[in-house]
Amino acid sequence: MDGGRVLGAPAAVLDGRSRGSVLLRRVLAGTPAGESPLTHAELVPAREGVTQGWPDWVPEDVRAPFLARGIARPWSHQAAAADRAHVGEHVVVATGTASGKSLAYQLPVLTRLNADPRATALYLSPTKALGADQLRTVAELRVDGVRAASYDGDTPLPERDWVRQHANWVFTNPDMLHRGILPRHGRWTTFLRRLRYVVIDECHTYRGLFGSHVALLMRRLRRVCARYGAHPTFVLASATVSEPAVSASVLTGLDVAEVTDDGSPRGARAVALWEPPLLEEVTGENGAPVRRSAGAETARMLADLVVEGARSLAFVRSRRGAELTALGARRVLAEIDEELASQVAAYRAGYLPEERRALEQALLSGSLRGVATTNALELGVDIAGLDAVVVAGFPGTRASFWQQAGRAGRSGDDALVVLVARDDPLDTYLVHHPEAMLGAPLERCVLDPTNPYVLAPHLACAASEIPLTREDVASLGGDAALAVVDDLVAEGLLRRRRGGWFWSHPTDRPHAGVDIRGSGGEQVVLVESDTGRMLGTVDPGTAPATVHPGAVHLHQGESYVVDSLDLDDGLAHLHAEDPEWTTQARTVIDITVIETERCAPHGDLQVCLGSVEVSEQVVGYLRKLPSGRVLDSTPLDMPERSLRTRAVWYTLTEDALLRAGLEPSRWPGALHAAEHAAIGLLPLVATCDRWDIGGVSTALHPDTGRPTVFVHDGHPGGAGFADRGHEALREWLTATRAAIADCECPSGCPSCVQSPKCGNGNDPLDKAGAVVVLDVVLTRLAEG
């Protein structure tokens, strides 16, 4: 966790006088009488800062601009990381949000560029907003000899030549490095030959499939630099995560030292866990009880905080959710004062560049007091002076939660942080087990650069940049890479010669066909049917489920209904409409075992890990009212998607289920409910999102011959999530069992065993049967 804790009952925190405690009382005052949504509250105390003197090697020309900005001395972690980088040691600084990690890399880079204007540096960030913010900071310092410039998708074409020829600190992102710099490294010869530092900001975001792509991208960058005689020092900045040096080493392929003792000060934070109440006389699918939605609860909180004069951010899991939350808050505020309503907006990915820049400027100026955002603002613009952060739904990892929470109190003042639980098994578990949320160690970043589905395109790209030697292949992926190279040769993509492997199509580079974000290809463009206006984009992998015909889509607070979706052309047409319902896609999934790598018997339980083939198809969608009530179901005929990936699964004998008291008629519902809950709880032990994984359960699977529950990665070749679930199986399934048993619903609801993406309409589900199944599994594991 980010700092120390003071344990205490909600009443103790509410009796406090800190700004966060005051705001929490204000938010609670808006709840109906008799409801008690607050499950836990505690105060994270303020922390004094620890400074060090300026390193002797920092010249006056570099030190003076920081002094002018009020930085009298660096914090201890800034100086420690900067010292390591200055002497050429690869280092990662992993400290809390707003701890000034930027200074740790700015000092060594600015010092080197000031002393040697011929030297160069490269800065990489996961978002354009973050890169633009950091570039703005460096430009404002006005250090002699430093020519910093942006080189990303928003950089006008006429400016790109100037950047290549004159900039000595280039701010870009992995996407542009992959598509714009490495394939044309011959045009960057001078820059790359003189490259002394590579800065990787917010490196904890490079996890899963995206992280695996970036890990190989870093190896390709180092290989091209070495071709020109450069061996730059890597400086990484990360949120607080577990074993940052290990993660940074896997990401870069280098030995990386870590600096983790946070010397920055921090104001006190009141941290509250909040579970929306069940709604009376409202039922969801199959009569299940429905809670007030996290989005609706967050919209009300955001409105209350704006009325209180608190500058606030609300983090929402989806683009649609951010739009709905902002819209809901504005509606509440409009009844009080139209001027207040105008101070709330949404911010998310998918906006056009000019829209993002305008919103960022409004945030910086303070003309916006309440912003509902996706994790696009978890990083990015350096917003100071926020009083409160509301997190609508657990963001997938404790590291991300504390990163988002760190946006509050960034100027050292007291602040409020509220986690509002969604109707989700993991959220339910966390708000009722605060020790798993607030007292547990942070997660490791999970990534697998040896994934053959990731290795293959990067080996092809590397060969097209510079012919591959055997040493190159070994450095890119070891034995796994050698096997992939053989496959590329067999496919005719690479040619084997005495000197190594060569790209077979020199006039047609492979880079454009590689999507390092893992979305599966070029973005699907959203176009308004009547005007032809481009509204934004969505990932092709999620398009069938989010912009299928009939889907309701929100953009900038305006509602649209999708008329058509053409996946081949990457185009969806929409028309403006404001229906009273929302839509939710339904999918069907089948799974085949390709290879069983591990299979451990535990009596009549078997636990396995291996490769599987998953077929998935969107077959329809539901129309739902804001209350959660389902209006109807509409069938769809979308193309089937086939995926070869990794899975963890367990099987039980029929006798084991019978002895536990489960009749055969209950097996499908019990296994199905256990599968849903396990998918919901896997993010507790792996750095993934529920939507990064999937599952299948069956009372008799043809490949195992037994009742079986599968949980699989949602990316080709896997992203390490199933492997992590296999590694932490007992912890994972223990939490899964607790989440089901602790839920107050009588027979199953979205907070425990219902899934928002179930292709069978959450039928059958047997909540009590799922507890029995997991009891059998956990008993066998304990016996083993």
Side-chain angles (χ1 to χ4, degrees):
M1 177 185 152
D2 183 13
R5 305 167 61 205
V6 170
L7 297 175
V13 177
L14 292 171
D15 289 342
R17 297 182 179 179
S18 71
R19 174 66 164 158
S21 299
V22 171
L23 291 176
L24 181 56
R25 288 197 294 271
R26 175 68 180 88
V27 168
L28 274 169
T31 60
E35 292 184 1
S36 55
L38 195 62
T39 62
H40 181 81
E42 64 182 58
L43 194 65
V44 179
R47 180 182 64 209
E48 296 292 328
V50 178
T51 62
Q52 275 185 223
W54 290 95
D56 294 340
W57 48 265
V58 179
E60 178 62 27
D61 286 351
V62 173
R63 188 164 60 246
F66 290 103
L67 292 170
R69 293 167 68 92
I71 302 174
R73 292 159 59 92
W75 305 121
S76 57
H77 65 277
Q78 294 172 327
D83 278 336
R84 288 177 178 265
H86 176 68
V87 298
E89 187 175 0
H90 309 296
V91 62
V92 56
V93 54
T95 53
T97 311
S99 60
K101 292 184 287 288
S102 301
L103 189 69
Y105 60 75
Q106 288 169 351
L107 286 181
V109 174
L110 292 172
T111 296
R112 183 59 185 261
L113 299 184
N114 175 256
D116 179 10
R118 292 168 56 85
T120 62
L122 185 68
Y123 169 95
L124 298 169
S125 70
T127 67
K128 292 177 184 177
L130 175 57
D133 191 59
Q134 291 300 306
L135 174 60
R136 183 165 47 245
T137 299
V138 168
E140 290 171 353
L141 291 171
R142 299 181 181 277
V143 174
D144 289 343
V146 177
R147 301 180 302 279
S150 174
Y151 192 83
D152 60 28
D154 293 342
T155 305
L157 291 175
E159 293 182 16
R160 296 187 182 186
D161 287 338
W162 185 94
V163 174
R164 277 193 300 269
Q165 295 167 13
H166 301 290
N168 59 0
W169 194 353
V170 172
F171 286 70
T172 187
N173 50 56
D175 313 80
M176 201 63 174
L177 176 64
H178 166 68
R179 292 187 175 223
I181 296 178
L182 291 183
R184 300 172 180 82
H185 62 83
R187 304 180 68 184
W188 289 82
T189 302
T190 301
F191 181 89
L192 293 172
R193 180 179 293 122
R194 299 170 176 174
L195 190 61
R196 299 296 176 262
Y197 285 101
V198 175
V199 176
I200 306 179
D201 209 353
E202 303 294 0
C203 66
H204 65 282
T205 62
Y206 300 122
R207 61 179 187 260
L209 195 67
F210 182 35
S212 302
H213 276 291
V214 174
L216 288 165
L217 185 60
M218 293 302 99
R219 288 156 175 78
R220 285 169 45 205
L221 171 64
R222 289 172 44 223
R223 176 172 173 262
V224 170
C225 288
R227 171 69 175 266
Y228 295 114
H231 300 278
T233 299
F234 280 71
V235 187
L236 301 94
S238 171
T240 46
V241 294
S242 177
E243 301 178 344
V246 174
S247 299
S249 297
V250 174
L251 184 65
T252 61
L254 299 163
D255 291 332
V256 180
E258 65 181 44
V259 173
T260 57
D261 290 335
D262 193 338
S264 65
R266 189 194 57 214
R269 291 187 197 136
V271 181
L273 304 182
W274 188 286
E275 184 177 45
L278 293 170
L279 296 171
E280 296 181 5
E281 300 178 358
V282 176
T283 58
E285 279 186 290
N286 307 316
V290 175
R291 294 190 184 279
R292 183 181 298 139
S293 74
E297 198 85 332
T298 300
R300 183 193 61 76
M301 286 188 191
L302 190 60
D304 285 344
L305 291 165
V306 169
V307 169
E308 190 68 19
R311 292 186 63 196
S312 308
L313 274 183
F315 284 100
V316 189
R317 295 296 305 279
S318 67
R319 296 180 179 188
R320 172 199 284 281
E323 298 278 7
L324 285 171
T325 299
L327 193 61
R330 286 199 295 264
R331 284 173 176 164
V332 172
L333 291 168
E335 298 176 2
I336 303 170
D337 185 342
E338 286 289 348
E339 178 63 26
L340 289 176
S342 68
Q343 296 177 17
V344 175
Y347 183 102
R348 60 169 175 80
Y351 282 177
L352 300 177
E354 55 270 24
E355 293 175 322
R356 292 198 307 269
R357 300 292 179 262
L359 286 168
E360 289 162 11
Q361 187 55 46
L363 277 171
L364 289 169
S365 68
S367 58
L368 285 178
R369 301 198 67 83
V371 175
T373 178
T374 60
N375 62 357
L377 279 181
E378 179 179 319
L379 318 171
V381 184
D382 186 11
I383 311 162
L386 290 182
D387 300 293
V389 163
V390 182
V391 182
F394 181 62
T397 67
R398 287 179 287 270
S400 288
F401 171 76
W402 288 113
Q403 183 79 358
Q404 294 178 0
R407 285 296 195 177
R410 288 175 70 90
S411 59
D413 297 330
D414 295 350
L416 170 67
V417 178
V418 183
L419 172 64
V420 181
R422 291 174 303 154
D423 250 354
D424 177 271
L426 180 56
D427 288 37
T428 300
Y429 178 80
L430 291 174
V431 296
H432 289 285
H433 295 82
E435 71 284 353
M437 179 69 202
L438 305 179
L442 299 175
E443 306 87 351
R444 290 189 325 223
C445 288
V446 177
L447 62 153
D448 180 16
T450 64
N451 178 338
Y453 288 87
V454 179
L455 267 172
H458 283 277
L459 286 166
C461 290
S464 77
E465 292 156 7
I466 304 170
L468 289 167
T469 65
R470 182 169 290 274
E471 292 73 19
D472 291 333
V473 175
S475 67
L476 285 165
D479 292 341
L482 286 170
V484 172
V485 164
D486 290 340
D487 292 340
L488 293 173
V489 171
E491 294 174 28
L493 297 174
L494 297 185
R495 290 179 291 116
R496 179 69 187 271
R497 295 291 184 266
R498 180 178 299 178
W501 293 269
F502 292 72
W503 175 242
S504 299
H505 310 282
T507 60
D508 184 19
R509 295 186 181 275
H511 299 70
V514 182
D515 177 20
I516 67 171
R517 300 272 175 174
S519 59
E522 295 293 334
Q523 298 286 293
V524 173
V525 178
L526 309 181
V527 176
E528 188 173 21
S529 300
D530 296 338
T531 64
R533 180 170 64 101
M534 176 180 169
L535 298 174
T537 60
V538 297
D539 294 336
T542 61
T546 57
V547 290
H548 56 75
V552 177
H553 178 79
L554 288 177
H555 179 78
Q556 290 275 46
E558 299 295 325
S559 179
Y560 297 83
V561 173
V562 179
D563 299 314
S564 64
L565 170 63
D566 189 329
L567 291 170
D568 292 332
D569 291 340
L571 197 63
H573 283 94
L574 307 84
H575 69 270
E577 185 179 338
D578 189 18
E580 61 176 342
W581 61 82
T582 59
T583 52
Q584 185 177 84
R586 289 301 187 204
T587 61
V588 293
I589 302 174
D590 196 12
I591 195 165
T592 302
V593 176
I594 303 299
E595 179 184 6
T596 302
E597 295 178 10
R598 303 181 197 172
C599 198
H602 301 270
D604 41 23
L605 166 74
Q606 283 190 332
V607 177
C608 304
L609 178 72
S611 299
V612 296
E613 184 94 23
V614 181
S615 61
E616 183 175 1
Q617 184 177 22
V618 175
V619 296
Y621 66 93
L622 302 178
R623 293 192 306 153
K624 300 175 71 174
L625 293 175
S627 66
R629 186 165 70 88
V630 176
L631 291 176
D632 56 33
S633 177
T634 302
L636 288 171
D637 184 19
M638 304 297 288
E640 184 178 87
R641 173 181 174 237
S642 183
L643 173 73
R644 184 162 180 167
T645 187
R646 295 182 63 77
V648 55
W649 64 93
Y650 63 82
T651 70
L652 288 166
T653 64
E654 295 179 352
D655 284 345
L657 294 177
L658 289 170
R659 286 196 304 271
L662 278 181
E663 295 298 321
S665 61
R666 296 181 62 189
W667 295 353
L671 295 166
H672 194 196
E675 170 224 324
H676 280 184
I679 291 171
L681 268 293
L682 183 57
L684 186 69
V685 298
T687 50
C688 67
D689 183 270
R690 179 179 186 149
W691 297 91
D692 290 327
I693 50 182
V696 174
S697 59
T698 174
L700 180 63
H701 193 273
D703 294 330
T704 67
R706 289 180 166 193
T708 309
V709 172
F710 293 87
V711 175
H712 65 82
D713 283 14
H715 302 288
F721 306 139
D723 292 73
R724 177 61 182 146
H726 181 266
E727 178 186 336
L729 185 72
R730 188 178 302 183
E731 176 190 355
W732 169 31
L733 295 185
T734 298
T736 301
R737 194 255 184 220
I740 300 172
D742 289 348
C743 185
E744 62 186 298
C745 76
S747 58
C749 72
S751 292
C752 57
V753 298
Q754 286 194 347
S755 169
K757 54 180 183 175
C758 178
N760 294 322
N762 285 300
D763 183 49
L765 288 177
D766 185 335
K767 175 182 176 179
V771 173
V772 173
V773 167
L774 290 167
D775 280 340
V776 174
V777 172
L778 291 168
T779 299
R780 298 299 181 269
L781 289 174
E783 292 171 350

